[in-house]
Amino acid sequence: MSKQISADLVILNANIWTMNQNEPRAEAIAIYQDTIIQVGDNKKIQLLIGPETKTIQLNKETVIPGFIDAHTHIAWNGMNKIYLDLGSTKSLQEALDLIKISLNSKKPGEWIIGRSWDQSKWPEQRYINAEDLDPISPENPVILRHVSGHFETVNSLAFERLNLDPSQKGVDLNEEGKPTGTLRDIDLSDKKEIRPNFDDFITGLNYGMDECLSLGITSVHDNITFENLLPYKYLAENNELRIRIYGIIYEDMLDEAIKIGLDRFFGDKWFHLGAVKLMTDGAISSRTAYLYEDYSDKKGEKGFALYDEKRLDDMVRKVHDANLQIAAHAIGDKAIANLITAIMKNIDPEECYRAMHRIEHAELLQLEDIERSKDYGIVYSMQPNFVWRWGMVGVNGMYEQRIGKERTLINNPFRWVLDHNLLLVFGSDGMPLGPLYGLKGAIFHPNEQLRLTLDEAIRCFTLYPAIVSREDKIKGSIEKGKLADLVVLSHNLDNIELADFHDVEIQYTIVGGKVAYKR
Ligand SMILES: [Zn+2]
């Protein structure tokens, strides 16, 4: 006689999108500790209910695997809460007003650090500059990071304090040859005075994890800077990670990682390392993404490569040889093409296929590059939220302004990637976090031919990122034996008109069998 274990938690009467090809739909799930022990119909699962079992009884709402956001900066997202958040400002004037308010609580000389401003949301439609800032903040250095993360604006005092040189690359000058305050892709990582400390990171990570849980995100592929690593270690050691992390470390940590033999098999189900971030170009919004043709709103500008050919070759080989995964940022069509060429030149196709090297963003990805990357199994790690936020032609078009309508319509070509049987993973880059927001960019892409179905788009946010971090044995779909990381949505996705997708909300987020968020 075998003793039947009873479940800790069951979900009944759901419409489950399992993301498991063999059994795409189910009705109920039983969970024991942190693991799914059975998936099936109500009857089968009811047998596992004991006196202690908790039950979530649904009315055919859809349950999907927990979302995996494949490109985040969680600590930085959370730190928006401790720094001055300019992300929701509706005008440049409003941003200046917020700076004035925060000056009230600062002593002369103290830094004002602001984040996430986005001129495309302002009627002024221009960058904030030193001339705006100097009169309101003559005694406090001010640095304001753009939402793209690729440039910042500083006032004149901050320019001085950071010991910047007007002639250095990335410093914008006005007609009189004076710095405008805009700093493009200038490395400020050694400027201690503007860097967050350990406690700031812990606070940022906690805020960031809370935000993830409220949005249905149970795992992330997080970009981890050097100073972010120890705060993560601290949280992991104290069992305070509440979402699961796949770490993408930065290039400056690579030599150390290689020295200690740290590769992609390092870690556990909460924190796991594996990828290395390379930066091959900038962003479209700052006209630093490297293009074949000029930017539509600036003749003669094509952006630029951040590595020369030799350095790119060396980096690609180095990461691959260290048994780490390449996660290379490339946005412009020329940057993407150069990167693919470097990968093809330096890595054996079969080995490359197994390594699942990935291109981050890959916005202006060309069809011929997808074709030639097929045998190499390149993974495209893209941001559908960018399409919804900046790419809807004729609506809110930062993309249209920078690269014109024609290129905007083939920007972020999700359909092409899937049609070539390549892995497509979706992340947000934190602009903003939230897969339900991001999914809209995939299902309502302005070019109908490039749209995904809802089912395909959800796979890119669940199963595929689990495959790419080599964790699909433990997560990414709703199957017996996998971790109970789940999201309960407010609607039945089989009955919903696509146009009503905007109404869908997160009801529950479950991580390792525990309800971590309830609306
Ligand atoms: Zn990023």
Side-chain angles (χ1 to χ4, degrees):
M1 195 179 96
S2 74
K3 190 167 170 285
Q4 174 86 40
I5 50 162
S6 55
D8 292 326
L9 175 69
V10 297
I11 300 177
L12 295 173
N13 204 32
N15 169 30
I16 302 168
W17 285 28
T18 65
M19 301 294 132
N20 168 10
Q21 302 280 28
N22 302 323
E23 193 190 358
R25 294 287 183 273
E27 207 174 23
I29 307 169
I31 296 159
Y32 179 68
Q33 293 178 348
D34 68 352
T35 305
I36 296 168
I37 53 168
Q38 199 59 266
V39 182
D41 57 26
N42 287 333
K43 253 199 185 141
K44 183 164 156 191
I45 301 304
Q46 269 157 348
L47 296 174
L48 296 168
I49 296 180
E52 307 284 308
T53 306
K54 289 197 193 85
T55 304
I56 296 177
Q57 177 83 33
L58 298 177
N59 191 18
K60 292 292 169 197
E61 290 89 344
T62 291
V63 177
I64 59 172
F67 285 117
I68 303 175
D69 184 322
H71 186 119
T72 56
H73 304 258
I74 290 301
W76 295 99
N77 255 84
M79 272 189 276
N80 274 332
K81 297 252 181 2
I82 47 179
Y83 294 131
L84 181 60
D85 182 8
L86 302 174
S88 54
T89 53
K90 301 218 163 42
S91 66
L92 194 152
Q93 190 52 50
E94 189 189 340
L96 294 173
D97 291 342
L98 284 181
I99 293 162
K100 277 188 220 161
I101 293 168
S102 85
L103 274 163
N104 290 334
S105 60
K106 300 272 181 186
K107 294 186 210 84
E110 270 189 80
W111 281 85
I112 301 268
I113 301 178
R115 304 198 148 265
S116 303
W117 59 277
D118 181 355
Q119 82 293 342
S120 76
K121 298 275 177 263
W122 296 343
E124 294 90 345
Q125 290 285 315
R126 66 165 177 89
Y127 293 172
I128 197 163
N129 60 39
E131 276 177 27
D132 300 317
L133 297 170
D134 287 346
I136 62 168
S137 184
E139 293 183 324
N140 294 78
V142 180
I143 183 162
L144 309 173
R145 177 157 261 226
H146 188 255
V147 64
S148 67
H150 284 279
F151 58 100
E152 30 261 311
T153 286
V154 294
N155 66 349
S156 300
L157 185 57
F159 194 90
E160 229 177 272
R161 290 274 210 93
L162 293 170
N163 283 317
L164 295 165
D165 177 350
S167 67
Q168 87 187 74
K169 191 175 169 191
V171 173
D172 273 13
L173 302 175
N174 63 19
E175 277 118 49
E176 292 120 58
K178 271 185 58 188
T180 64
T182 301
L183 312 175
R184 295 175 194 269
D185 278 311
I186 292 184
D187 181 11
L188 299 170
S189 55
D190 61 338
K191 311 285 183 192
K192 276 250 153 47
E193 56 273 53
I194 55 163
R195 301 301 296 181
N197 61 30
F198 183 91
D199 290 339
D200 293 337
F201 271 102
I202 296 288
T203 308
L205 286 169
N206 276 315
Y207 277 131
M209 288 191 289
D210 286 338
E211 201 182 351
C212 284
L213 291 170
S214 72
L215 297 166
I217 299 166
T218 58
S219 293
V220 294
H221 296 187
D222 200 40
N223 292 272
I224 302 179
T225 56
F226 186 70
E227 69 239 278
N228 193 169
L229 195 59
L230 283 182
Y232 259 133
K233 179 168 175 275
Y234 172 87
L235 291 177
E237 278 170 0
N238 290 283
N239 296 320
E240 287 175 21
L241 287 176
R242 287 171 286 134
I243 60 171
R244 304 180 198 279
I245 315 293
Y246 177 62
I248 303 172
I249 58 171
Y250 280 78
E251 201 191 313
D252 58 351
M253 293 141 85
L254 180 56
D255 288 330
E256 296 299 323
I258 291 172
K259 229 183 271 168
I260 60 173
L262 193 158
D263 65 16
R264 58 191 301 173
F265 299 101
F266 185 85
D268 65 9
K269 61 193 171 186
W270 284 103
F271 186 88
H272 169 203
L273 279 180
V276 180
K277 178 85 166 272
L278 305 177
M279 290 290 292
T280 79
D281 72 343
I284 290 174
S285 59
S286 54
R287 295 192 205 90
T288 50
Y290 189 27
L291 310 181
Y292 280 112
E293 307 288 339
D294 289 359
Y295 280 91
S296 303
D297 57 352
K298 197 133 193 199
K299 275 252 148 337
E301 272 197 33
K302 293 183 167 65
F304 49 88
L306 295 174
Y307 299 133
D308 62 19
E309 193 185 335
K310 161 134 192 356
R311 174 117 190 274
L312 185 56
D313 284 344
D314 288 348
M315 290 311 301
V316 160
R317 248 195 325 264
K318 193 166 165 185
V319 176
H320 178 79
D321 291 345
N323 200 13
L324 287 158
Q325 184 182 41
I326 297 167
H329 167 125
I331 288 180
D333 41 13
K334 183 87 169 102
I336 297 167
N338 287 353
L339 175 60
I340 292 172
T341 301
I343 289 173
M344 292 175 67
K345 194 162 76 176
N346 290 290
I347 305 174
D348 167 77
E350 266 171 50
E351 269 184 41
C352 191
Y353 210 96
R354 282 194 298 273
M356 294 187 282
H357 294 309
R358 48 199 278 179
I359 301 185
E360 303 302 303
H361 314 307
E363 289 167 44
L364 257 179
L365 176 60
Q366 306 290 292
L367 190 55
E368 57 268 32
D369 281 323
I370 299 177
E371 269 156 13
R372 72 192 177 113
S373 66
K374 215 182 143 191
D375 292 340
Y376 288 76
I378 304 276
V379 174
Y380 292 95
S381 168
M382 300 169 81
Q383 282 66 48
N385 49 311
F386 289 4
V387 174
W388 190 244
R389 183 164 179 172
W390 294 304
M392 299 309 285
V393 168
V395 186
N396 53 357
M398 179 279 285
Y399 278 147
E400 207 176 345
Q401 197 182 335
R402 292 282 186 270
I403 56 177
K405 185 172 171 186
E406 214 175 297
R407 281 183 289 184
T408 298
L409 284 173
I410 52 160
N411 202 19
N412 294 293
F414 308 130
R415 164 63 50 205
W416 291 346
V417 176
L418 288 190
D419 280 355
H420 285 76
N421 287 320
L422 287 164
L423 280 167
L424 172 61
V425 296
F426 280 160
S428 65
D429 208 5
M431 295 189 258
L433 278 173
L436 290 178
Y437 179 97
L439 285 167
K440 295 180 200 177
I443 60 178
F444 301 122
H445 194 292
N447 180 348
E448 249 176 83
Q449 320 247 303
L450 297 179
R451 286 181 191 164
L452 302 186
T453 65
L454 194 48
D455 180 86
E456 288 169 326
I458 291 175
R459 269 167 210 279
C460 298
F461 255 131
T462 54
L463 182 61
Y464 299 157
I467 294 173
V468 167
S469 66
R470 296 194 181 173
E471 294 171 294
D472 52 315
K473 283 208 171 65
I474 59 166
K475 63 189 186 188
S477 62
I478 300 177
E479 288 179 62
K480 195 172 160 175
K482 287 200 182 184
L483 290 166
D485 294 354
L486 307 165
V487 175
V488 180
L489 300 172
S490 57
H491 287 66
N492 181 343
L493 294 187
D494 277 316
N495 293 341
I496 197 168
E497 293 289 331
L498 221 43
D500 294 330
F501 184 73
H502 308 274
D503 302 332
V504 176
E505 293 181 80
I506 306 293
Q507 293 290 93
Y508 293 90
T509 305
I510 296 169
V511 183
K514 302 250 162 16
V515 174
Y517 168 82
K518 183 173 190 291
R519 192 164 71 101

